[in-house]
Amino acid sequence: MSKALDHIKILDFTHVQSGPTCTQLLAWMGADVIKVERPGVGDATRKQLVDVEGADSLYFTMLNHNKRSLTLNSKTPEGKEVLERLVKTCDVLVENFAPGALDRMGFSWERIQELNPGMIMASVKGFGPGPYEDCKVYENVAQCAGGSASTTGFRDGLPLVTGAQIGDSGTGLHLAFGICAALIHREKTGRGQRVLAPMQDGVLNLCRVKLRDQQRLKAGPLKEYSQHGEGVPFGEATPRAGNDSGGGQPGRILKCKGWETDPDAYTYFITQAAVWQKICDVIGKPDWKEHPDYATPPARLPHLNEIFGAIEEWTMTQTKYEVMEICNPLDIPVGPILSMKELAEEPSLRATGTIVEVDHPERGPYLSVGCPVKLSDNEVVVERSPLLGEHSEEILGEVLGYSAEEIASLRESGAV
Ligand code: CAO
Protein backbone atom coordinates (compact mmCIF):
# COMPACT_ATOMS: atom_id res chain seq x y z
CA MET A 1 0.00 0.00 0.00
CA SER A 2 1.34 3.45 -0.84
CA LYS A 3 1.80 6.02 1.91
CA ALA A 4 1.30 9.76 2.01
CA LEU A 5 5.01 10.69 1.93
CA ASP A 6 6.64 7.59 0.45
CA HIS A 7 8.18 9.63 -2.37
CA ILE A 8 9.93 11.99 0.08
CA LYS A 9 13.49 11.70 1.40
CA ILE A 10 14.32 13.48 4.62
CA LEU A 11 17.85 14.45 5.63
CA ASP A 12 17.32 14.24 9.36
CA PHE A 13 19.91 16.28 11.23
CA THR A 14 17.84 16.38 14.41
CA HIS A 15 18.67 15.38 17.97
CA VAL A 16 17.15 15.19 21.46
CA GLN A 17 13.33 15.56 21.33
CA SER A 18 11.82 18.41 19.30
CA GLY A 19 13.31 17.62 15.88
CA PRO A 20 13.12 13.82 16.25
CA THR A 21 9.40 14.09 17.12
CA CYS A 22 8.86 15.82 13.78
CA THR A 23 10.89 13.39 11.66
CA GLN A 24 9.32 10.37 13.38
CA LEU A 25 5.88 11.62 12.32
CA LEU A 26 7.14 12.11 8.75
CA ALA A 27 8.56 8.56 8.80
CA TRP A 28 5.18 7.23 9.92
CA MET A 29 3.63 9.01 6.94
CA GLY A 30 5.99 6.99 4.74
CA ALA A 31 9.00 9.30 4.25
CA ASP A 32 12.48 7.79 4.01
CA VAL A 33 14.12 9.43 7.03
CA ILE A 34 17.93 9.33 7.02
CA LYS A 35 19.17 10.27 10.47
CA VAL A 36 22.69 11.71 10.33
CA GLU A 37 24.70 11.23 13.52
CA ARG A 38 28.26 11.85 14.59
CA PRO A 39 30.42 8.66 14.27
CA GLY A 40 30.93 6.93 17.60
CA VAL A 41 28.69 9.43 19.42
CA GLY A 42 25.27 9.70 17.84
CA ASP A 43 22.25 11.52 19.20
CA ALA A 44 23.08 12.37 22.85
CA THR A 45 19.80 10.81 24.00
CA ARG A 46 21.03 7.33 23.00
CA LYS A 47 23.04 7.35 26.21
CA GLN A 48 20.80 9.48 28.43
CA LEU A 49 18.45 8.04 31.10
CA VAL A 50 19.89 4.58 30.45
CA ASP A 51 17.86 1.76 31.99
CA VAL A 52 19.47 -1.21 30.20
CA GLU A 53 23.27 -1.04 30.32
CA GLY A 54 24.81 -0.99 26.84
CA ALA A 55 21.49 -0.50 25.03
CA ASP A 56 20.01 2.61 23.45
CA SER A 57 17.80 4.39 26.00
CA LEU A 58 14.02 4.51 25.84
CA TYR A 59 14.38 8.27 25.38
CA PHE A 60 16.09 7.59 22.04
CA THR A 61 14.18 4.52 20.90
CA MET A 62 10.76 6.09 21.53
CA LEU A 63 11.57 9.15 19.36
CA ASN A 64 13.37 7.54 16.44
CA HIS A 65 11.21 4.73 15.10
CA ASN A 66 11.10 3.94 11.38
CA LYS A 67 14.31 5.88 10.61
CA ARG A 68 17.65 4.84 9.10
CA SER A 69 20.92 5.86 10.75
CA LEU A 70 23.97 7.12 8.85
CA THR A 71 27.07 8.11 10.80
CA LEU A 72 28.84 11.10 9.31
CA ASN A 73 31.32 13.65 10.58
CA SER A 74 30.10 16.63 8.62
CA LYS A 75 33.02 18.78 9.74
CA THR A 76 35.69 16.84 7.77
CA PRO A 77 36.20 17.56 4.03
CA GLU A 78 35.13 14.00 3.14
CA GLY A 79 32.06 14.25 5.40
CA LYS A 80 31.11 17.60 3.88
CA GLU A 81 31.19 16.05 0.43
CA VAL A 82 28.83 13.27 1.54
CA LEU A 83 26.55 15.86 3.10
CA GLU A 84 26.51 17.87 -0.14
CA ARG A 85 25.40 14.77 -2.00
CA LEU A 86 22.68 14.17 0.57
CA VAL A 87 21.46 17.77 0.20
CA LYS A 88 21.29 17.31 -3.58
CA THR A 89 19.39 14.02 -3.22
CA CYS A 90 16.93 14.71 -0.41
CA ASP A 91 13.70 16.75 -0.43
CA VAL A 92 13.80 18.13 3.10
CA LEU A 93 16.57 18.91 5.60
CA VAL A 94 15.31 19.00 9.19
CA GLU A 95 17.57 20.29 11.96
CA ASN A 96 17.41 21.55 15.52
CA PHE A 97 21.00 22.51 16.20
CA ALA A 98 21.86 25.46 18.38
CA PRO A 99 21.56 28.73 16.43
CA GLY A 100 24.36 29.16 13.88
CA ALA A 101 25.68 25.56 14.05
CA LEU A 102 24.68 24.70 10.48
CA ASP A 103 26.24 27.94 9.18
CA ARG A 104 29.47 27.11 11.03
CA MET A 105 29.41 23.70 9.34
CA GLY A 106 29.30 25.50 5.98
CA PHE A 107 25.66 24.75 5.18
CA SER A 108 23.89 28.09 5.33
CA TRP A 109 20.44 28.44 3.73
CA GLU A 110 22.08 30.24 0.79
CA ARG A 111 24.51 27.34 0.24
CA ILE A 112 21.72 24.80 0.50
CA GLN A 113 19.68 26.68 -2.11
CA GLU A 114 22.72 26.69 -4.42
CA LEU A 115 23.07 22.94 -4.03
CA ASN A 116 19.35 22.15 -4.37
CA PRO A 117 16.83 24.92 -5.11
CA GLY A 118 13.98 22.50 -4.44
CA MET A 119 15.13 21.71 -0.92
CA ILE A 120 12.95 22.55 2.05
CA MET A 121 15.06 23.46 5.07
CA ALA A 122 13.16 23.11 8.32
CA SER A 123 14.46 24.21 11.70
CA VAL A 124 13.43 24.23 15.32
CA LYS A 125 15.02 27.03 17.33
CA GLY A 126 14.27 28.21 20.84
CA PHE A 127 13.27 31.71 19.74
CA GLY A 128 12.46 33.45 16.49
CA PRO A 129 14.30 36.58 15.28
CA GLY A 130 14.75 39.07 18.11
CA PRO A 131 16.74 39.56 21.29
CA TYR A 132 16.92 35.88 22.21
CA GLU A 133 17.51 34.33 18.78
CA ASP A 134 21.02 33.11 19.67
CA CYS A 135 19.95 31.25 22.83
CA LYS A 136 20.03 27.51 23.30
CA VAL A 137 16.70 26.27 24.62
CA TYR A 138 15.33 23.11 26.23
CA GLU A 139 11.74 22.04 26.90
CA ASN A 140 11.09 23.76 30.21
CA VAL A 141 12.71 27.02 29.12
CA ALA A 142 10.23 27.09 26.24
CA GLN A 143 7.30 26.38 28.57
CA CYS A 144 8.40 29.32 30.70
CA ALA A 145 9.15 31.72 27.84
CA GLY A 146 6.01 30.80 25.90
CA GLY A 147 3.49 31.70 28.61
CA SER A 148 2.62 28.21 29.79
CA ALA A 149 4.37 28.28 33.18
CA SER A 150 2.94 31.66 34.23
CA THR A 151 -0.58 30.35 33.63
CA THR A 152 -0.11 26.83 35.06
CA GLY A 153 -0.37 25.96 38.75
CA PHE A 154 -2.27 27.48 41.65
CA ARG A 155 -2.60 31.18 42.35
CA ASP A 156 -0.75 30.94 45.66
CA GLY A 157 2.02 28.66 44.35
CA LEU A 158 5.00 28.69 41.99
CA PRO A 159 4.59 28.78 38.22
CA LEU A 160 4.53 25.15 37.05
CA VAL A 161 5.79 23.25 34.03
CA THR A 162 3.54 20.55 32.61
CA GLY A 163 4.41 16.93 31.89
CA ALA A 164 3.11 17.28 28.34
CA GLN A 165 6.20 18.23 26.34
CA ILE A 166 4.60 21.14 24.59
CA GLY A 167 7.95 22.89 24.02
CA ASP A 168 9.73 19.98 22.37
CA SER A 169 7.12 17.56 21.01
CA GLY A 170 4.64 20.41 20.50
CA THR A 171 7.13 22.32 18.36
CA GLY A 172 8.00 19.13 16.48
CA LEU A 173 4.32 18.88 15.55
CA HIS A 174 4.25 22.48 14.37
CA LEU A 175 7.35 21.86 12.28
CA ALA A 176 5.85 18.76 10.66
CA PHE A 177 2.81 20.81 9.69
CA GLY A 178 5.07 23.49 8.13
CA ILE A 179 7.05 20.88 6.19
CA CYS A 180 3.92 19.25 4.75
CA ALA A 181 2.61 22.68 3.67
CA ALA A 182 5.99 23.52 2.07
CA LEU A 183 5.97 20.20 0.21
CA ILE A 184 2.53 20.94 -1.23
CA HIS A 185 3.71 24.45 -2.17
CA ARG A 186 6.77 23.01 -3.91
CA GLU A 187 4.51 20.83 -6.06
CA LYS A 188 3.08 24.07 -7.49
CA THR A 189 6.26 26.17 -7.72
CA GLY A 190 9.14 23.71 -7.85
CA ARG A 191 10.89 25.81 -5.22
CA GLY A 192 11.93 24.87 -1.74
CA GLN A 193 11.68 27.25 1.19
CA ARG A 194 12.74 27.74 4.78
CA VAL A 195 10.43 26.55 7.54
CA LEU A 196 11.12 27.84 11.03
CA ALA A 197 9.31 26.67 14.17
CA PRO A 198 10.49 28.59 17.25
CA MET A 199 9.67 26.82 20.51
CA GLN A 200 8.47 30.01 22.20
CA ASP A 201 6.00 30.63 19.37
CA GLY A 202 4.76 27.02 19.45
CA VAL A 203 4.10 27.14 23.19
CA LEU A 204 2.37 30.51 22.88
CA ASN A 205 0.20 29.08 20.11
CA LEU A 206 -0.86 26.30 22.47
CA CYS A 207 -1.55 28.93 25.18
CA ARG A 208 -3.72 30.98 22.82
CA VAL A 209 -6.70 30.96 25.21
CA LYS A 210 -4.57 32.52 27.93
CA LEU A 211 -3.75 35.48 25.68
CA ARG A 212 -7.49 35.66 25.01
CA ASP A 213 -8.02 35.99 28.77
CA GLN A 214 -5.25 38.60 29.04
CA GLN A 215 -7.30 40.83 26.76
CA ARG A 216 -10.61 39.99 28.44
CA LEU A 217 -9.17 41.33 31.70
CA LYS A 218 -9.63 44.85 30.30
CA ALA A 219 -13.39 44.25 30.33
CA GLY A 220 -13.42 43.20 34.00
CA PRO A 221 -12.73 40.16 36.19
CA LEU A 222 -12.55 36.71 34.57
CA LYS A 223 -15.79 35.39 35.98
CA GLU A 224 -15.12 31.79 34.90
CA TYR A 225 -12.04 31.62 37.15
CA SER A 226 -12.76 30.45 40.72
CA GLN A 227 -10.72 33.41 41.94
CA HIS A 228 -13.73 35.54 41.01
CA GLY A 229 -16.13 33.58 43.23
CA GLU A 230 -13.59 33.76 46.05
CA GLY A 231 -13.60 37.57 45.87
CA VAL A 232 -9.86 37.79 45.09
CA PRO A 233 -9.11 40.75 42.80
CA PHE A 234 -7.30 40.15 39.50
CA GLY A 235 -3.87 41.62 38.77
CA GLU A 236 -2.56 42.85 35.44
CA ALA A 237 -1.83 39.47 33.84
CA THR A 238 -3.75 36.24 33.24
CA PRO A 239 -3.36 34.40 36.54
CA ARG A 240 -2.75 30.75 37.31
CA ALA A 241 -6.13 29.11 37.69
CA GLY A 242 -5.43 25.68 39.17
CA ASN A 243 -7.67 23.16 37.48
CA ASP A 244 -10.40 25.59 36.48
CA SER A 245 -11.34 25.07 32.86
CA GLY A 246 -11.58 28.87 32.66
CA GLY A 247 -13.73 28.48 29.54
CA GLY A 248 -17.43 28.74 28.80
CA GLN A 249 -18.20 25.45 30.57
CA PRO A 250 -16.75 25.49 34.13
CA GLY A 251 -14.91 22.32 35.16
CA ARG A 252 -12.59 21.06 37.90
CA ILE A 253 -10.67 18.03 39.11
CA LEU A 254 -12.59 16.33 41.93
CA LYS A 255 -11.79 13.57 44.39
CA CYS A 256 -13.22 10.10 43.82
CA LYS A 257 -13.52 7.05 46.05
CA GLY A 258 -10.05 5.97 47.19
CA TRP A 259 -8.36 9.36 46.82
CA GLU A 260 -6.86 9.07 50.32
CA THR A 261 -4.44 6.35 49.14
CA ASP A 262 -4.51 6.46 45.32
CA PRO A 263 -2.84 9.61 43.92
CA ASP A 264 -4.85 9.29 40.70
CA ALA A 265 -8.34 8.64 42.14
CA TYR A 266 -9.78 11.82 40.66
CA THR A 267 -12.09 12.81 37.83
CA TYR A 268 -12.44 15.91 35.71
CA PHE A 269 -16.02 17.08 35.87
CA ILE A 270 -17.53 19.66 33.50
CA THR A 271 -20.76 21.46 34.44
CA GLN A 272 -21.88 21.81 30.84
CA ALA A 273 -24.90 24.11 30.75
CA ALA A 274 -26.86 21.81 28.44
CA VAL A 275 -26.89 19.01 31.05
CA TRP A 276 -27.21 21.08 34.24
CA GLN A 277 -30.57 19.54 35.14
CA LYS A 278 -29.15 16.02 34.88
CA ILE A 279 -26.15 17.02 37.03
CA CYS A 280 -28.56 18.28 39.71
CA ASP A 281 -30.35 14.91 39.73
CA VAL A 282 -27.12 12.88 39.84
CA ILE A 283 -25.68 14.80 42.81
CA GLY A 284 -29.00 14.87 44.70
CA LYS A 285 -29.72 18.59 44.37
CA PRO A 286 -32.94 18.64 42.32
CA ASP A 287 -33.94 22.00 43.88
CA TRP A 288 -30.92 23.67 42.16
CA LYS A 289 -32.60 23.20 38.76
CA GLU A 290 -34.91 26.14 39.26
CA HIS A 291 -33.17 28.01 42.09
CA PRO A 292 -32.24 31.57 40.97
CA ASP A 293 -28.65 31.18 42.33
CA TYR A 294 -27.96 28.04 40.29
CA ALA A 295 -30.42 27.74 37.39
CA THR A 296 -28.42 29.67 34.74
CA PRO A 297 -24.70 29.73 33.86
CA PRO A 298 -24.18 33.41 34.83
CA ALA A 299 -26.01 32.85 38.16
CA ARG A 300 -23.74 29.89 38.91
CA LEU A 301 -20.43 31.71 38.32
CA PRO A 302 -20.11 33.29 41.79
CA HIS A 303 -21.06 29.95 43.39
CA LEU A 304 -18.63 27.62 41.62
CA ASN A 305 -16.80 26.62 44.84
CA GLU A 306 -20.07 25.62 46.49
CA ILE A 307 -21.31 23.83 43.36
CA PHE A 308 -18.11 21.85 42.84
CA GLY A 309 -18.05 21.11 46.58
CA ALA A 310 -21.48 19.48 46.26
CA ILE A 311 -20.48 17.58 43.12
CA GLU A 312 -17.34 16.34 44.89
CA GLU A 313 -19.39 15.04 47.83
CA TRP A 314 -21.05 12.80 45.24
CA THR A 315 -17.90 11.87 43.22
CA MET A 316 -16.20 10.81 46.48
CA THR A 317 -18.82 8.06 46.82
CA GLN A 318 -17.86 6.58 43.41
CA THR A 319 -14.65 5.38 41.76
CA LYS A 320 -13.41 7.47 38.83
CA TYR A 321 -14.62 4.73 36.48
CA GLU A 322 -18.06 4.59 38.11
CA VAL A 323 -18.36 8.37 37.69
CA MET A 324 -17.80 7.81 33.97
CA GLU A 325 -20.26 4.93 33.79
CA ILE A 326 -22.97 7.00 35.47
CA CYS A 327 -22.31 10.33 33.70
CA ASN A 328 -21.57 9.22 30.13
CA PRO A 329 -25.07 7.84 29.38
CA LEU A 330 -26.43 11.20 30.62
CA ASP A 331 -24.05 13.12 28.32
CA ILE A 332 -22.32 14.75 31.29
CA PRO A 333 -18.68 15.30 30.19
CA VAL A 334 -16.30 13.72 32.72
CA GLY A 335 -12.90 12.04 32.44
CA PRO A 336 -10.85 9.93 34.84
CA ILE A 337 -7.32 10.98 35.77
CA LEU A 338 -5.44 8.09 34.16
CA SER A 339 -1.95 7.13 35.28
CA MET A 340 0.79 6.09 32.83
CA LYS A 341 0.38 2.56 34.26
CA GLU A 342 -3.32 2.53 33.41
CA LEU A 343 -2.68 3.93 29.91
CA ALA A 344 0.06 1.37 29.25
CA GLU A 345 -2.38 -1.42 30.12
CA GLU A 346 -5.44 0.01 28.31
CA PRO A 347 -6.64 -2.57 25.73
CA SER A 348 -8.37 -0.05 23.46
CA LEU A 349 -5.14 1.95 23.00
CA ARG A 350 -3.32 -1.29 22.13
CA ALA A 351 -6.04 -2.14 19.62
CA THR A 352 -5.69 1.18 17.77
CA GLY A 353 -1.87 1.10 17.72
CA THR A 354 -1.53 4.15 19.96
CA ILE A 355 0.31 2.00 22.51
CA VAL A 356 2.58 -0.50 20.77
CA GLU A 357 5.07 -3.11 21.87
CA VAL A 358 8.29 -2.95 19.85
CA ASP A 359 11.16 -5.44 19.87
CA HIS A 360 14.75 -4.22 19.98
CA PRO A 361 17.92 -6.30 19.52
CA GLU A 362 19.78 -4.69 22.44
CA ARG A 363 17.01 -4.17 24.95
CA GLY A 364 14.22 -6.63 24.07
CA PRO A 365 10.55 -5.60 23.95
CA TYR A 366 9.46 -2.17 25.14
CA LEU A 367 6.32 -0.08 24.99
CA SER A 368 6.03 3.01 22.85
CA VAL A 369 3.46 5.49 21.70
CA GLY A 370 2.52 4.83 18.10
CA CYS A 371 1.29 7.35 15.57
CA PRO A 372 -1.39 9.48 17.26
CA VAL A 373 -2.94 10.58 13.95
CA LYS A 374 -4.82 7.94 11.97
CA LEU A 375 -5.15 8.14 8.19
CA SER A 376 -7.41 5.57 6.53
CA ASP A 377 -4.95 5.11 3.63
CA ASN A 378 -1.70 5.22 5.59
CA GLU A 379 -1.33 2.21 7.83
CA VAL A 380 1.53 2.76 10.30
CA VAL A 381 3.67 -0.19 11.36
CA VAL A 382 6.00 1.02 14.10
CA GLU A 383 9.55 -0.25 13.47
CA ARG A 384 12.33 -0.11 16.03
CA SER A 385 14.81 2.75 16.07
CA PRO A 386 18.09 2.17 14.21
CA LEU A 387 21.36 1.29 15.93
CA LEU A 388 24.06 3.93 15.50
CA GLY A 389 25.24 3.79 11.89
CA GLU A 390 23.19 0.67 11.16
CA HIS A 391 22.35 1.82 7.63
CA SER A 392 25.52 3.71 6.70
CA GLU A 393 26.65 1.31 3.94
CA GLU A 394 23.13 0.95 2.54
CA ILE A 395 22.57 4.73 2.37
CA LEU A 396 26.00 5.54 0.94
CA GLY A 397 25.68 2.77 -1.66
CA GLU A 398 21.99 2.70 -2.61
CA VAL A 399 20.98 6.32 -2.06
CA LEU A 400 24.18 8.18 -2.92
CA GLY A 401 25.80 5.72 -5.35
CA TYR A 402 29.19 5.32 -3.62
CA SER A 403 31.18 2.23 -4.63
CA ALA A 404 32.42 -0.29 -2.06
CA GLU A 405 35.97 1.12 -2.41
CA GLU A 406 34.76 4.67 -1.88
CA ILE A 407 32.83 3.62 1.22
CA ALA A 408 35.94 1.86 2.58
CA SER A 409 37.97 5.01 2.03
CA LEU A 410 35.33 7.16 3.74
CA ARG A 411 35.49 4.80 6.72
CA GLU A 412 39.27 5.03 6.77
CA SER A 413 39.15 8.83 6.82
CA GLY A 414 36.86 8.73 9.88
CA ALA A 415 34.11 10.65 8.04
CA VAL A 416 31.61 7.77 8.39
N1 CAO B 1 29.21 15.97 12.54
C1 CAO B 1 29.97 16.96 13.04
N2 CAO B 1 29.53 17.86 13.95
C2 CAO B 1 28.27 17.72 14.38
C3 CAO B 1 27.40 16.71 13.92
C4 CAO B 1 27.92 15.80 12.95
N3 CAO B 1 27.20 14.80 12.45
N4 CAO B 1 26.22 16.83 14.54
C5 CAO B 1 26.34 17.89 15.36
N5 CAO B 1 27.57 18.43 15.28
C6 CAO B 1 28.09 19.58 16.00
C7 CAO B 1 27.38 20.87 15.66
O1 CAO B 1 27.80 21.35 14.43
C8 CAO B 1 27.81 21.73 16.83
O2 CAO B 1 29.11 22.23 16.60
P1 CAO B 1 29.53 23.77 16.83
O3 CAO B 1 29.05 24.14 18.20
O4 CAO B 1 31.00 23.72 16.73
O5 CAO B 1 28.89 24.58 15.77
C9 CAO B 1 27.92 20.72 17.99
O6 CAO B 1 27.88 19.44 17.38
C10 CAO B 1 26.85 20.80 19.05
O7 CAO B 1 25.56 21.03 18.50
P2 CAO B 1 24.46 21.80 19.34
O8 CAO B 1 25.05 23.12 19.79
O9 CAO B 1 23.20 21.85 18.58
O10 CAO B 1 24.26 20.80 20.58
P3 CAO B 1 24.26 21.12 22.13
O11 CAO B 1 24.21 19.77 22.77
O12 CAO B 1 25.37 22.00 22.56
O13 CAO B 1 22.88 21.89 22.38
C11 CAO B 1 20.49 22.15 22.27
C12 CAO B 1 21.67 21.19 22.43
C13 CAO B 1 19.22 21.32 22.19
C14 CAO B 1 20.42 23.07 23.49
C15 CAO B 1 20.65 22.99 20.98
O14 CAO B 1 20.87 22.12 19.91
C16 CAO B 1 19.48 23.91 20.68
O15 CAO B 1 19.27 24.94 21.31
N6 CAO B 1 18.67 23.54 19.66
C17 CAO B 1 17.57 24.34 19.18
C18 CAO B 1 16.40 24.28 20.12
C19 CAO B 1 15.93 22.87 20.37
O16 CAO B 1 15.63 22.12 19.48
N7 CAO B 1 15.80 22.56 21.65
C20 CAO B 1 15.11 21.37 22.06
C21 CAO B 1 15.97 20.23 22.17
S1 CAO B 1 15.04 18.93 22.86
O17 CAO B 1 14.92 19.32 24.48
Side-chain angles (χ1 to χ4, degrees):
M1 198 206 289
S2 78
K3 290 198 180 176
L5 299 179
D6 59 9
H7 56 306
I8 299 297
K9 277 201 178 355
I10 311 276
L11 167 46
D12 180 7
F13 236 148
T14 68
H15 63 158
V16 201
Q17 186 183 162
S18 62
T21 301
C22 166
T23 51
Q24 179 167 260
L25 286 169
L26 301 174
W28 283 337
M29 291 301 137
D32 180 8
V33 176
I34 298 171
K35 184 168 174 105
V36 178
E37 299 179 82
R38 240 179 309 186
V41 182
D43 188 324
T45 59
R46 284 188 186 266
K47 297 293 166 249
Q48 283 175 0
L49 313 178
V50 168
D51 59 325
V52 177
E53 214 45 59
D56 284 332
S57 71
L58 288 167
Y59 194 11
F60 177 83
T61 55
M62 291 178 72
L63 284 159
N64 289 286
H65 295 112
N66 299 67
K67 303 180 186 177
R68 301 200 276 174
S69 169
L70 163 70
T71 46
L72 186 69
N73 185 342
S74 52
K75 284 187 174 163
T76 67
E78 296 85 355
K80 275 189 207 301
E81 198 201 305
V82 176
L83 191 55
E84 282 194 5
R85 276 163 88 153
L86 276 168
V87 170
K88 287 180 186 161
T89 309
C90 291
D91 302 280
V92 187
L93 185 162
V94 192
E95 62 93 20
N96 67 313
F97 290 128
L102 211 55
D103 291 356
R104 288 193 288 279
M105 221 183 263
F107 288 87
S108 64
W109 170 227
E110 292 71 28
R111 177 73 185 128
I112 282 170
Q113 277 176 303
E114 264 171 36
L115 292 169
N116 179 359
M119 170 145 276
I120 291 157
M121 179 172 150
S123 307
V124 169
K125 293 287 166 267
F127 294 91
Y132 307 120
E133 64 187 313
D134 292 329
C135 299
K136 284 187 177 178
V137 168
Y138 281 104
E139 169 68 48
N140 289 343
V141 175
Q143 288 198 28
C144 293
S148 177
S150 74
T151 53
T152 302
F154 288 90
R155 205 174 56 243
D156 51 2
L158 287 176
L160 284 186
V161 293
T162 155
Q165 303 285 283
I166 57 176
D168 277 345
S169 288
T171 307
L173 279 167
H174 284 96
L175 192 70
F177 158 73
I179 290 169
C180 290
L183 282 168
I184 294 170
H185 194 238
R186 192 182 69 168
E187 276 171 26
K188 293 193 284 188
T189 64
R191 286 196 319 275
Q193 61 182 301
R194 277 203 84 165
V195 180
L196 172 66
M199 296 167 79
Q200 181 184 43
D201 304 39
V203 171
L204 182 55
N205 181 38
L206 298 175
C207 291
R208 182 171 290 263
V209 300
K210 299 297 178 182
L211 185 60
R212 172 200 68 195
D213 291 349
Q214 177 64 40
Q215 297 169 87
R216 289 174 63 233
L217 270 175
K218 285 195 201 115
L222 303 172
K223 293 183 182 157
E224 296 74 17
Y225 285 45
S226 38
Q227 171 172 352
H228 173 62
E230 289 158 18
V232 178
F234 283 80
E236 289 183 349
T238 308
R240 296 190 267 289
N243 293 313
D244 293 348
S245 73
Q249 310 288 357
R252 295 229 187 133
I253 288 183
L254 304 176
K255 290 171 186 159
C256 292
K257 193 192 265 181
W259 66 273
E260 300 90 336
T261 51
D262 176 355
D264 297 310
Y266 292 83
T267 187
Y268 204 88
F269 196 108
I270 297 181
T271 55
Q272 193 202 12
V275 289
W276 174 245
Q277 311 245 332
K278 292 180 192 170
I279 294 171
C280 293
D281 285 334
V282 166
I283 65 170
K285 296 276 186 194
D287 49 315
W288 279 6
K289 290 186 209 172
E290 306 300 335
H291 192 293
D293 283 348
Y294 310 101
T296 64
R300 288 196 285 278
L301 287 178
H303 306 290
L304 289 181
N305 279 356
E306 184 195 357
I307 289 169
F308 281 110
I311 299 173
E312 192 169 58
E313 272 180 37
W314 173 73
T315 57
M316 282 164 69
T317 65
Q318 313 290 329
T319 68
K320 61 188 177 186
Y321 294 109
E322 287 165 349
V323 169
M324 253 202 139
E325 277 159 31
I326 294 166
C327 291
N328 273 351
L330 300 171
D331 285 335
I332 302 171
V334 294
I337 306 309
L338 294 180
S339 68
M340 280 298 146
K341 181 173 185 298
E342 288 167 312
L343 288 163
E345 292 164 358
E346 172 57 43
S348 65
L349 293 175
R350 300 275 182 129
T352 58
T354 293
I355 297 280
V356 287
E357 194 172 295
V358 186
D359 208 1
H360 189 278
E362 289 174 337
R363 56 177 309 118
Y366 65 94
L367 283 190
S368 196
V369 183
C371 186
V373 190
K374 320 292 182 192
L375 275 69
S376 61
D377 240 0
N378 193 104
E379 194 203 347
V380 174
V381 177
V382 178
E383 288 165 10
R384 71 166 172 85
S385 58
L387 303 177
L388 181 59
E390 185 176 347
H391 305 97
S392 293
E393 315 269 321
E394 168 181 317
I395 293 162
L396 291 167
E398 288 168 23
V399 180
L400 299 180
Y402 281 96
S403 67
E405 294 73 44
E406 287 171 320
I407 295 173
S409 130
L410 281 170
R411 282 221 181 277
E412 221 163 278
S413 76
V416 169

